[in-house]
Amino acid sequence: MVRPEEELIRKRQRERARLTALLLGAFVILLFFITVAKVGMNW
Amino acid sequence: MTSTAIDREAIGLPADWRDILALTKPRVMSLVVFTGLAGMLAAPVLPPLAIGFTAILCIALGAGACGALNQWYEADIDAKMRRTASRPLPAGRMERQSALHFGVGLAAFSVLLMGLAANWLAAALLAVSILFYVLVYTVWLKPRTAQNIVIGGAAGAFPPLIGWVAATGSVAPLPLLLFAIIFLWTPPHFWALSLFVRSDYAAAGIPMLPVVAGIESTRRQIFLYSLPMAAAAVVPWPLGLTGPLYGIAASALSLGFLVLAGQVLANRAAEPKQMAPEKRLFGYSVLYLFVLFGALVADRWLPW
């Protein structure tokens, strides 16, 4: 049986992992658009 | 240490992401983002959307890093002030070292991304502004001198300059004047606040002007700083750097600022409850900066 505090730790870890994944995904998309813009500027 | 802090450490609970976000002081960030964006939109050339968006994002992240590093360094002081005692570090919801790692990481990331996406002059200015805020203001001046906010205000004055440089790659007279406006606006803005929360600053041992020099002297300084601030706000118009829309808006807004600063000067109350003029000036000062920079952008883009 999982202790309540352990459950809370897992919940926090899940939330943070999900948020990190979202931010990394957004960063990849941002890098793509920066690259497109730089190519357009003949960088 | 509170019992919550002991419990949290005892079970090794990771910080909630909402507390990590709170470290970045999102409300302060909104003003920084707005002035940075206004600086960029006032420039004669605009960068591609992705580059402009990234530059503003970097300014926001840099400001967030400053907030996190400020809270890391001042956790003990924050615990003594009513206004700040519930922040994640003094309330024991997060480890101090996590805030330091987050702040340093975010600062480095924002500067590198600014350099790679926009240009390295903008990145250098961003790095200088972060270092100035953390080292010169937070660590050095704030706990030592009543002039902390005068020199430290320079850190908050960088965003429009960075926004302009991110767009153009060079410095020009108008963004330097925008820098001067925020630099001169900061002392009256913060001293108005510090007048009605001075007991908090006194309890925390922060030598803000009302604590060190007294209430009357602070009121005089507020009015005196408002004069060059108003001049700096209006002068881009006669210099031909902006049009009449900005000039008229800046004149009217600055006149309003001076009237409210005059009311503060005339007030004799010593109790925060009777400091309505100070509270009014503090509220107006935030509105002043938003509308002034809004007028600058409107003047640049509206067809007259």
Side-chain angles (χ1 to χ4, degrees):
Chain A
M1 188 165 170
V2 183
R3 288 180 305 153
E5 57 265 36
E6 208 169 302
E7 181 58 37
L8 188 58
I9 290 171
R10 298 284 169 264
K11 183 173 170 274
R12 290 263 174 101
Q13 285 175 335
R14 272 196 305 273
E15 280 180 357
R16 284 172 58 157
R18 207 169 291 146
L19 194 68
T20 307
L22 273 174
L23 290 175
L24 279 174
F27 183 56
V28 169
I29 294 168
L30 182 66
L31 281 185
F32 169 76
F33 282 109
I34 291 172
T35 309
V36 170
K38 288 278 186 189
V39 169
M41 292 161 72
N42 293 321
W43 176 60
Chain B
M1 194 181 274
T2 62
S3 61
T4 324
I6 295 165
D7 293 348
R8 201 201 66 75
E9 276 182 19
I11 60 172
L13 191 60
D16 191 306
W17 66 268
R18 292 167 197 87
D19 284 330
I20 299 175
L21 180 68
L23 275 185
T24 63
K25 300 188 183 176
R27 279 176 61 191
V28 176
M29 205 193 274
S30 65
L31 194 60
V32 167
V33 165
F34 181 75
T35 56
L37 184 63
M40 179 180 284
L41 292 178
V45 288
L46 279 186
L49 187 62
I51 306 292
F53 173 80
T54 306
I56 297 302
L57 180 69
C58 290
I59 292 173
L61 296 179
C66 287
L69 291 169
N70 175 274
Q71 289 189 50
W72 161 74
Y73 190 76
E74 293 186 344
D76 298 340
I77 299 169
D78 283 349
K80 293 177 193 161
M81 298 204 287
R82 237 190 347 254
R83 191 171 61 86
T84 53
S86 61
R87 284 177 176 174
L89 295 180
R93 295 195 304 273
M94 183 188 269
E95 280 178 32
R96 217 169 156 177
Q97 206 175 23
S98 303
L100 173 64
H101 292 167
F102 175 67
V104 171
L106 198 60
F109 177 75
S110 65
V111 171
L112 281 174
L113 186 59
M114 178 71 95
L116 291 169
N119 58 66
W120 289 102
L121 179 57
L125 287 170
L126 183 61
V128 168
S129 71
I130 294 170
L131 290 172
F132 193 90
Y133 183 82
V134 176
L135 298 180
V136 178
Y137 172 64
T138 304
V139 175
W140 183 34
L141 294 173
K142 193 171 174 183
R144 281 180 181 78
T145 164
Q147 295 300 311
N148 48 21
I149 211 67
V150 176
I151 305 160
F158 273 100
L161 180 61
I162 299 171
W164 178 290
V165 171
T168 63
S170 61
V171 178
L174 183 58
L176 288 176
L177 279 170
L178 299 180
F179 179 96
I181 292 167
I182 301 182
F183 179 68
L184 293 165
W185 165 91
T186 307
H189 167 75
F190 271 105
W191 285 335
L193 169 74
S194 66
L195 274 171
F196 55 86
V197 296
R198 73 183 186 288
S199 56
D200 260 13
Y201 284 113
I206 298 287
M208 290 301 278
L209 197 62
V211 179
V212 176
I215 296 173
E216 291 313 310
S217 172
T218 306
R219 287 185 172 128
R220 211 165 35 245
Q221 295 291 326
I222 285 175
F223 187 75
L224 288 176
Y225 269 89
S226 302
L227 296 170
M229 181 212 71
V234 174
V235 84
W237 184 28
L239 287 180
L241 300 171
T242 62
L245 175 63
Y246 170 83
I248 292 164
S251 305
L253 286 164
S254 299
L255 186 66
F257 200 108
L258 289 174
V259 168
L260 291 180
Q263 288 175 358
V264 168
L265 183 67
N267 192 14
R268 289 284 167 269
E271 287 304 310
K273 279 181 187 167
Q274 296 164 315
M275 290 191 181
E278 285 78 2
K279 290 172 188 170
R280 231 178 359 249
L281 178 66
F282 178 72
Y284 182 80
S285 65
V286 177
L287 185 75
Y288 173 87
L289 212 59
F290 268 108
V291 180
L292 187 76
F293 278 74
L296 177 78
V297 175
D299 184 80
R300 160 81 177 79
W301 290 98
L302 291 181
W304 62 65

